[in-house]
Amino acid sequence: MKKILIRADDLGYSEGINYGIAKSVREGIIKSVGIMTNMPAAEQGLKLLADIDVCYGQHTNICIGKPLSDPKLLPSITNENGEFKSSREYRSAKEDFVNLDEVIIEIEAQYHQFIKLTGRKPQYFEGHAVSSDNFIKGLKIVAAKYDLKYSGMPTEAEPHLVGRHKVYMWMESMLPEYDPIKTLKKMVLNAHEDACDVLICHPGYLDAYILKTSSLTIPRTLEVEMACDPEVKAWLAKQNIEMVTYSDL
């Protein structure tokens, strides 16, 4: 039986995002959720899901909001206001400006905050939006240090191991005319017999903070709708698949 995992990133990004993720979990098909532990809304997001069995991961963030570490220790990834450099700055850079030692300091700080917020280690461990080689290297170093289940970035072309399972990642939310239902069905119909196929979603509702800081807007609302659609759930029930979380990998 083919294994399918549908995950939501960005819990804690904003209250609007939190409400969309909460609906996608409570009424929908999403059971794995990545937390941005540095964000002020992270605690509120967790309260919305307090009575639900959710597989939580650390969605490590170095491009939104403020770091948990002293910005003076992180000059390569913060600006003069003590906030993280934006994802646009990472994308437009001609070379990787992330200092490995600095980013490890912040990755570890976010890991310890995860434990403080949830009372347990993350059930998976990965990074948000930034494809920096040193960021990815730092994630792998911290994952190995604390024996965490690292899940690679969706920008990595080849399948990779998560736990003992080979994983293929699907993320099309940034494509023009994105239709999350079509993407989900395409993934399921082309799922691999010898691996787990993971659909990375960013469900959420839009508020002022998201509109000011994120280039991903309307697709978030469409993913909430997809996750809760009764016809989608009925279609999935007819497929020869097993819906899993990172705890199963």
Side-chain angles (χ1 to χ4, degrees), residues 181-202:
I181 294 178
K182 288 183 179 179
T183 295
L184 171 64
K185 289 186 175 181
K186 180 170 65 173
M187 182 187 77
V188 170
L189 294 174
N190 293 279
H192 299 78
E193 297 283 356
D194 63 338
C196 177
D197 287 79
V198 176
L199 180 61
I200 301 174
C201 298
H202 303 81

Side-chain angles (χ1 to χ4, degrees), residues 42-172:
E43 189 169 357
Q44 183 251 3
L46 286 167
K47 286 180 179 178
L48 292 175
L49 295 170
D51 58 338
I52 304 291
D53 184 18
V54 181
C55 177
Y56 285 119
Q58 177 174 320
H59 190 52
T60 313
N61 164 37
I62 60 167
C63 64
I64 296 291
K66 296 182 178 180
L68 294 173
S69 312
D70 184 345
K72 294 178 181 178
L73 301 175
L74 315 172
S76 72
I77 57 175
T78 56
N79 59 28
E80 63 277 6
N81 298 319
E83 299 176 338
F84 283 128
K85 293 179 179 178
S86 69
S87 58
R88 184 180 295 108
E89 291 177 82
Y90 288 95
R91 290 194 299 268
S92 63
K94 295 181 180 179
E95 60 183 24
D96 188 0
F97 57 74
V98 176
N99 178 279
L100 179 60
D101 292 335
E102 293 175 19
V103 81
I104 287 174
I105 292 172
E106 180 60 20
I107 293 169
E108 288 198 273
Q110 293 187 25
Y111 166 69
H112 293 302
Q113 180 70 356
F114 183 102
I115 294 176
K116 181 179 178 181
L117 289 170
T118 68
R120 64 189 188 193
K121 294 169 65 171
Q123 291 159 282
Y124 64 99
F125 188 79
E126 41 82 32
H128 170 74
V130 174
S131 58
S132 152
D133 288 341
N134 279 338
F135 180 38
I136 293 171
K137 188 181 296 184
L139 289 169
K140 291 179 179 178
I141 289 171
V142 175
K145 179 177 179 179
Y146 294 101
D147 191 27
L148 305 174
K149 190 178 291 183
Y150 175 69
S151 181
M153 303 286 279
T155 51
E156 296 174 6
E158 297 299 322
H160 51 270
L161 287 177
V162 177
R164 301 186 304 275
H165 287 78
K166 186 164 65 172
V167 164
Y168 290 86
M169 291 196 171
W170 299 67
M171 189 179 77
E172 298 185 345

Side-chain angles (χ1 to χ4, degrees), residues 4-77:
I4 300 297
L5 191 155
I6 305 173
R7 133 186 159 201
D9 290 354
D10 297 355
L11 188 76
Y13 194 134
S14 73
E15 291 190 4
I17 296 301
N18 291 344
Y19 285 117
I21 291 177
K23 183 178 179 69
S24 300
V25 172
R26 288 184 171 277
E27 301 177 28
I29 57 177
I30 293 175
K31 302 302 176 189
S32 294
V33 175
I35 309 170
M36 290 176 152
T37 65
N38 74 302
M39 299 298 281
E43 189 169 357
Q44 183 251 3
L46 286 167
K47 286 180 179 178
L48 292 175
L49 295 170
D51 58 338
I52 304 291
D53 184 18
V54 181
C55 177
Y56 285 119
Q58 177 174 320
H59 190 52
T60 313
N61 164 37
I62 60 167
C63 64
I64 296 291
K66 296 182 178 180
L68 294 173
S69 312
D70 184 345
K72 294 178 181 178
L73 301 175
L74 315 172
S76 72
I77 57 175

